[in-house]
Amino acid sequence: MASSTVAEWGNRSLKAVDEEIYTLIEKEKCRQWKGIELIASENFTSQAVIEALGSALTNKYSEGMPGNRYYGGNEFIDEIENLCRVRALQAYRLDPEKWGVNVQPYSGSPANFAAYTALLNPHDRIMGLDLPSGGHLTHGYYTSGGKKISATSIYFESLPYKVDPNTGYIDYVKLEEKALDFRPRLIICGGSAYPRDWEYGKLRSIADKCGAYLLCDMAHISGLVAAQEANNPFEFCDIVTTTTHKSLRGPRAGMIFYRKGPKPATKKGQEPTNYDYEDKVNFSVFPSLQGGPHNHQIAALAVALKQVLSPSFKEYAKQVKANAVALANALMKKGYKIVTDGTENHLVLWDLKPLGLTGNKVEKLCDLCHITLNKNAVYGDSSALAPGGVRIGTPAMTSRGLKEADFEQIAEFLSKAVDITLAIQKEHGKLIKDFQKGLTNNKDIDDLKAAVEKFATSFEMPGFDVKAIDI
Ligand code: DSN
């Protein structure tokens, strides 16, 4: 009787137990397969990663660090976490005498806040790239009206730096000027919608001039850094944080890398000292901010890092960049304005303002045609509610095997989507409630959606068997 109760509750398939959730998952798989996924921060992970994520490791508590846990029964969990840490250091070619890593952060925002908590006191000063310039919320965003949006700006005093409004590139000269006045304790580099690479050497020298730590949040480009397809933040930064599900192609999770071992002397005759980040970072993640690590995520990350270490990952990262360049060139050839006139990474920022369009309308139109991308602020936008551009990323579709010519076809679809948006706006008006009237029973939208789905389904799909999708 007891065992049949267990089996009844615990050993039946998802489909048998909860048809609603089962069907919604199947529908989401179908959406992912049939669409063109261009969200720059998303990717399709592998079947092996998904298997580890869906494993019994989710059952286990393991607060603390491997070998020093607050719970028993962690002999295998310790092995998994240690393997993950070793692979993480290997993925970035880091000497374990000089760098350590904490793989317990649940994702990127918790990783950043844990790093800040480790390095700073409340109200210390920080500088990160402004959100409308392509930065991330967790780098200290507050609105132009002074409303503190991110916990980073609530608990620390933030003065963002910006891109040059004429070029779209980070203005390192202004950044230095501001930093020397503001004297931040921490300078953060890394962005969410910045299509160019970072000059970490310049940032290091600015940080040194004002006695600041330098932290890179490489979340968007962590796959490119691993493949040596981007400048190396580890050369110059004290701390490097990242998510693991973007260009790295792993599960949703986060990591914090920190320097350890002897610190180079900055002044002649200075007593040798060691970096003291290791204990601070580990303590900050647990017990300061988190409870038990998500062991299923950590195992899945270890699997993803093993895949990152394979030669084919290098090819993947190269292709991500080549595809972004092909997309930017194809759009520019059509006369569209691409911020910074191109890209050096995995994303393209398309300034729609010269067309008289906003990013939210184009995002909506694309959604209806089964193309997924983000509306995005472009420097100089007049309203934060109606961002002037869209952000387009290549990591996900590159994981499906697309090459440069395929991204030229995607540029054709995007151009068509923009033409349809313009036609609807012309007929119905600019106000969003008027514009929306043109979105229903629209043959152009239906035709583009059919073409997009035909195109997308002609490519392979990592992670799951599309023939087994059950709807
Ligand atoms: N939300 C992610 C992005 O889309 O860039 C960053 O965390």
Side-chain angles (χ1 to χ4, degrees), residues 308-351:
V308 166
L309 285 162
S310 73
S312 66
F313 190 82
K314 170 89 181 159
E315 291 314 306
Y316 164 70
K318 260 186 194 301
Q319 193 65 53
V320 165
K321 280 173 69 183
N323 286 347
V325 168
L327 176 66
N329 287 343
L331 291 172
M332 287 190 294
K333 221 161 136 191
K334 289 178 175 294
Y336 298 123
K337 168 77 186 124
I338 298 303
V339 173
T340 74
D341 299 321
T343 174
E344 286 165 336
N345 56 28
H346 64 302
L347 70 85
V348 171
L349 193 55
W350 184 357
D351 186 354

Side-chain angles (χ1 to χ4, degrees), residues 39-42 108-109 136 191-193 219-220 243 245-246 374 391:
I39 291 183
S41 50
E42 290 187 11
S109 300
H136 190 254
S192 280
H220 265 260
T243 51
H245 47 274
K246 297 186 174 87
N374 294 111
R391 183 185 71 164

Side-chain angles (χ1 to χ4, degrees), residues 31 37 39-44 245-247 252 372 395-396:
R31 188 197 68 79
E37 180 52 72
I39 291 183
S41 50
E42 290 187 11
N43 211 329
F44 298 115
H245 47 274
K246 297 186 174 87
S247 55
R252 310 192 80 79
T372 323

